[in-house]
Amino acid sequence: MVTLEEGGCVNKAFEAVDDGFQTIDLRNNGRDEKGSSRGQTQVEDSTSQSNDRDHTLLCGWGRFRPNWLQRFRTAKWALFWLCWAGAIQGMVVNGFVNVVITTIEKRFGLRSMQTGVIAGGYDMASFACLAPVTYLGGRSGSSKPRWLGWGVLLMGTGSLLFALPHFLVPPHRVANEDADDICVLNRTMDRCEEDTPAEGGAWAVAIFVFAQLLHGAGATPLFTLGVTYIDENVSKKMSSVYLGVYYTMAVVGPAMGYVLGGQMLTIYTDFLSTDAGSLGITPQSSVWIGAWWIGFILSALLCLIVAVPLLAFPHELPGASEIRASKVSEAHEGAASKSAAFSALHELPQAAVALLKNPTFLFLNLAGASEGMLISGFAAFLPKLIENQFAVSASEAALLLGLITVPAGGGGTFLGGWLVKRLELACAGIIKLCIGATLVAAAFTFCFVLSCDDYPFAGLTVPYNSPAVPGSDGLLADCNSGCSCPRWRYSPVCGADGAVYYSACHAACTARRLRGRGGAGGAVLYRDCACIRTNATLPLYYAPGGEGASAESYEAINSICSTDCPFLWLFVALSFCVMLCTFLATMPALSATLRCVREDQRSFALGIQWIKVRLLGTIPAPLLFGFLIDASCALWAASCGASGACVQYRNADMSKYMLALALAGKLCSLLFFSLAWWFYRPPGSGSSNAVIPSVDLVVCDKVNGSAAGARGIVQNGTLDKTNGYCNAALECSDHL
């Protein structure tokens, strides 16, 4: 009989039967309703959270994530925009900044030590930002593309700020645009004017350094979080290729900066308000100041264009979880590699100590620091070396370096990544490749032995044609002692005798003539120069577009003296070899660094590595190079009672200092790579240091409904048939 009680149903016929089962009361009550409601709510919350998670894995900005945008949610498109971001960073920091070093020295009367501080500002900011950016950006669930996009925007802001000093100073004044730059007997010495070449001074240095700090802070995520974002979203086999393409574009960026920056320097800095032709100067003139600021305005616009799509990418791409599960660890065998992941901010010191216990990682970092010192120092001052050693203009030196950097830097980086994939090198083999490349590069550093003779500078390296005035600085002689030449008006001229004179006044020239007026370029020609030894035949100047009738003789001209030094192209060829071998080791060294640490330590490991590289290499490098270049200066320009930029260097000393730095750096890199290989212990024999996957796949046979035994366990894509297990309680049931 069935009765109804409180809305439920109870079969009385079964109440007296003892069948071993307990009666289950299925009647609803208030408590059951609450439990059912709560379970339904939990399911709805779980579904809502799943939908939110799926929504964040789509491409878009905020809530705007249209379907047509999801076709770009691939590793190739992420690599595309990261490549452009890396290229812009290289173009600005390692291209434009390095190209304009000598120009802003002349424009604002700065020393090489001061421009070294400007160049080092980028690495100072990177050093300060690397640990928090890599630690916070590398945490599980953190959106690396968001860090990358905002970083690119910050870098664009720094580019705008770097160009600001150009708009805060009056138009550049060329010393020879006034008629009083010639010799006037018994004239009164004029006062030091406020708009001298040192019109920028310390405040300009402060603006440049702050702009570089923004560059460094904005570029910090690119080669830490950007590298790990690529590595997490592509297979291990393709990781080296993707990273090789990424770093190749990062090297092509400086090449673009050198080439484009060199072309910008052929435009007069105040072309919007002043016609260079009316001043009688050309890019070959010694007083020429190029438009150094245009490239930074362009870079700011490019940063805005690239940042927008980067901000649209999700924190991981489709298939990232499967890629993580399939990877096998090659971390260095040791206690540090078996430690658990660190996720809390207060555990940061413990995480750093765990990494520093890895000797391979430690020595790879030191090798990177010595390489970074050389790359940073020569990137900033190699154009200056070429200008002074081989007597070429700033734009020509920048173009030469661009021609070297494109095939050598880009090709070397890509070739290094390709060799790792083609030869299927393990971590130890990768380090051996770095050793070989560094050894060859060290042999080619002897290219810095090539040195040209010093410029014949009147009163400094060669004497005047008359006795020097006793007690003077060497620039005064009997031939110009009555001219009252101002020391702060540095406007060098090339004499018909092949010597350089501090100014037309110091050459005792009493007549001047401007040729090429009207925007076609030209020059200022000087005659009747008492201090210049002249032959019977004077050199001729041909105006642009003119022919025989437009030729005019002169005794001095406001352009660079030519040189017959034959070593320029030999130096360029050997520098190409040094750069090729240097960048050949860049990609393999990065691969070795990523492979010798645990996967969950990689973002933080790259941050620690770049901190060491900057602290020990790239931060002190511009200061050290600038100090040694200043030490090789033979004559300083005077600006309102203070010394300005160096106007004449001792080429032999500069060559000697650069050779010592290059050779010492390469030998240190060779030593550290060798130690990294010596101390590396691959995973295996003794104890396993493999990364434990999130799911272990159990493989077992079942015979007649019972477990026949476990055949193996699949961990990280490798089947272990000796130490497999099976859960006995489940008996490999059909449910699994």
Side-chain angles (χ1 to χ4, degrees):
M1 180 178 64
V2 178
T3 62
L4 298 177
E5 297 181 3
E6 298 179 359
C9 178
V10 177
N11 192 338
K12 297 291 186 178
F14 289 97
E15 284 188 344
V17 179
D18 185 8
D19 55 0
F21 291 93
Q22 299 295 326
T23 302
I24 301 175
D25 189 358
L26 298 177
R27 290 174 293 181
N28 294 328
N29 52 38
R31 184 175 182 181
D32 292 334
E33 292 175 355
K34 294 178 181 178
S36 176
S37 176
R38 184 163 52 248
Q40 184 178 2
T41 303
Q42 291 176 353
V43 172
E44 292 176 354
D45 291 343
S46 176
T47 303
S48 176
Q49 292 175 1
S50 178
N51 291 336
D52 290 342
R53 174 175 172 80
D54 293 340
H55 186 73
T56 59
L57 292 179
L58 299 177
C59 274
W61 304 271
R63 291 292 176 181
F64 179 72
R65 300 177 186 270
N67 292 331
W68 61 266
L69 197 60
Q70 307 316 311
R71 70 183 68 177
F72 302 105
R73 191 180 49 158
T74 63
K76 291 182 179 179
W77 277 107
L79 177 66
F80 175 81
W81 291 112
L82 280 174
C83 283
W84 278 110
I88 294 172
Q89 181 269 344
M91 182 175 66
V92 176
V93 178
N94 299 318
F96 290 153
V97 173
N98 297 332
V99 165
V100 305
I101 285 291
T102 55
T103 301
I104 63 176
E105 280 185 9
K106 292 192 295 183
R107 180 69 174 94
F108 299 101
L110 306 179
R111 291 192 172 209
S112 293
M113 274 287 289
Q114 292 175 297
T115 53
V117 173
I118 295 172
Y122 169 84
D123 295 304
M124 295 176 191
S126 295
F127 171 73
C129 297
L130 268 171
V133 168
T134 54
Y135 192 79
L136 298 176
R139 292 185 302 178
S140 177
S142 177
S143 178
K144 294 181 178 67
R146 188 173 301 171
W147 285 87
L148 292 164
W150 285 110
V152 173
L153 285 177
L154 189 62
M155 192 166 57
T157 305
S159 294
L160 282 177
L161 188 62
F162 202 96
L164 183 61
H166 168 76
F167 302 97
L168 298 181
V169 295
H172 176 60
R173 181 180 178 185
V174 180
N176 60 17
E177 66 180 291
D178 298 327
D180 59 357
D181 69 329
I182 60 176
C183 177
V184 179
L185 296 177
N186 300 321
R187 69 176 168 185
T188 304
M189 182 73 70
D190 54 354
R191 63 180 178 87
C192 181
E193 300 181 8
E194 295 180 357
D195 56 348
T196 60
E199 58 194 347
W203 69 267
V205 175
I207 293 179
F208 288 137
V209 171
F210 186 65
Q212 282 285 77
L213 293 177
L214 294 182
H215 283 153
T220 298
L222 287 178
F223 298 103
T224 51
L225 300 182
V227 170
T228 53
Y229 187 70
I230 293 174
D231 190 65
E232 291 168 357
N233 290 282
V234 298
S235 65
K236 186 174 182 179
K237 181 178 180 180
M238 294 302 298
S239 177
S240 294
V241 177
Y242 272 64
L243 292 178
V245 173
Y246 182 38
Y247 273 80
T248 299
M249 285 298 294
V251 175
V252 170
M256 295 167 54
Y258 279 116
V259 175
L260 293 178
Q263 294 304 307
M264 300 299 181
L265 292 181
T266 61
I267 305 172
Y268 188 59
T269 183
D270 295 314
F271 70 95
L272 295 176
S273 59
T274 305
D275 179 19
S278 64
L279 302 177
I281 57 175
T282 65
Q284 284 68 41
S285 301
S286 51
V287 294
W288 176 269
I289 300 293
W292 57 272
W293 50 275
I294 298 180
F296 297 98
I297 303 294
L298 174 64
S299 302
L301 296 176
L302 292 177
C303 285
L304 178 62
I305 295 173
V306 172
V308 173
L310 277 178
L311 289 169
F313 281 95
H315 70 274
E316 68 176 22
L317 299 175
S321 58
E322 291 82 357
I323 291 172
R324 283 195 300 269
S326 66
K327 289 185 177 179
V328 179
S329 174
E330 289 187 77
H332 170 80
E333 178 97 12
S337 63
K338 292 180 284 186
S339 60
F342 302 95
S343 58
L345 188 60
H346 64 83
E347 294 177 349
L348 190 146
Q350 186 180 0
V353 171
L355 283 174
L356 295 179
K357 290 181 179 179
N358 186 334
T360 301
F361 176 74
L362 177 64
F363 286 118
L364 285 175
N365 291 350
L366 293 177
S370 59
E371 290 291 286
M373 182 190 71
L374 296 181
I375 294 175
S376 177
F378 281 112
F381 293 105
L382 192 56
K384 191 181 189 73
L385 174 69
I386 294 178
E387 286 181 48
N388 290 276
Q389 287 281 359
F390 306 106
V392 298
S393 64
S395 59
E396 291 173 343
L399 182 61
L400 283 174
L401 277 182
L403 294 177
I404 296 174
T405 306
V406 170
T413 303
F414 185 80
L415 181 61
W418 181 82
L419 286 175
V420 172
K421 176 180 179 295
R422 180 68 177 82
L423 301 178
E424 297 182 354
L425 297 176
C427 190
I430 292 174
I431 300 176
K432 289 181 181 179
L433 177 61
C434 295
I435 294 174
T438 305
L439 183 62
V440 177
F444 282 113
T445 56
F446 285 95
C447 66
F448 293 102
V449 172
L450 302 174
S451 177
C452 299
D453 294 334
D454 292 336
Y455 254 138
F457 201 105
L460 189 63
T461 60
V462 295
Y464 280 100
N465 60 359
S466 61
V469 175
S472 66
D473 56 3
L475 298 178
L476 293 180
D478 290 345
C479 60
N480 61 17
S481 59
C483 298
S484 300
C485 300
R487 179 71 164 80
W488 57 269
R489 279 186 176 272
Y490 176 66
S491 180
V493 295
C494 180
D497 56 356
V500 178
Y501 293 84
Y502 194 86
S503 68
C505 180
H506 285 81
C509 300
T510 58
R512 67 191 297 270
R513 177 179 172 82
L514 178 62
R515 293 299 306 272
R517 185 187 299 271
V524 180
L525 308 180
Y526 298 93
R527 298 290 300 269
D528 302 329
C529 304
C531 294
I532 298 178
R533 299 185 182 92
T534 58
N535 298 323
T537 303
L538 293 175
L540 298 177
Y541 172 76
Y542 295 90
E547 298 182 358
S550 63
E552 183 174 349
S553 62
Y554 63 89
E555 294 183 18
I557 187 172
N558 65 332
S559 64
I560 301 173
C561 287
S562 60
T563 178
D564 56 355
C565 182
F567 301 134
L568 174 59
W569 290 107
L570 178 60
F571 179 83
V572 168
L574 295 178
S575 298
F576 173 88
C577 297
V578 173
M579 192 172 296
L580 178 68
C581 296
T582 297
F583 283 95
L584 180 64
T586 301
M587 186 58 236
L590 176 64
S591 296
T593 302
L594 290 174
R595 294 191 186 191
C596 74
V597 298
R598 287 173 54 96
E599 183 176 355
D600 51 29
Q601 296 174 331
R602 287 181 176 178
S603 290
F604 189 53
L606 285 179
I608 293 296
Q609 182 188 44
W610 280 107
I611 286 176
K612 293 179 183 177
V613 168
R614 277 157 172 73
L615 184 62
L616 302 177
T618 58
I619 289 179
L623 301 179
L624 178 61
F625 276 70
F627 172 77
L628 293 178
I629 287 178
D630 282 343
S632 63
C633 182
L635 180 64
W636 297 94
S639 298
C640 293
S643 61
C646 183
V647 299
Q648 179 68 18
Y649 291 93
R650 292 183 292 270
N651 288 345
D653 289 347
M654 184 184 292
S655 177
K656 178 176 61 178
Y657 294 148
M658 296 302 102
L659 174 62
L661 286 173
L663 191 58
K666 285 299 179 184
L667 292 179
C668 288
S669 298
L670 187 61
L671 173 64
F672 293 138
F673 277 131
S674 300
L675 291 175
W677 171 77
W678 179 263
F679 284 102
Y680 175 70
R681 286 186 296 155
S685 58
S687 60
S688 174
N689 68 331
V691 177
I692 300 176
S694 58
V695 176
D696 292 335
L697 177 61
V698 178
V699 182
C700 54
D701 290 333
K702 193 173 180 184
V703 181
N704 296 325
S706 62
R711 289 188 304 170
I713 176 172
V714 178
Q715 290 188 347
N716 293 330
T718 304
L719 179 64
D720 183 1
K721 295 186 178 181
T722 59
N723 296 320
Y725 68 91
C726 186
N727 192 329
L730 297 178
E731 290 291 337
C732 297
S733 67
D734 289 332
H735 295 86
L736 299 182

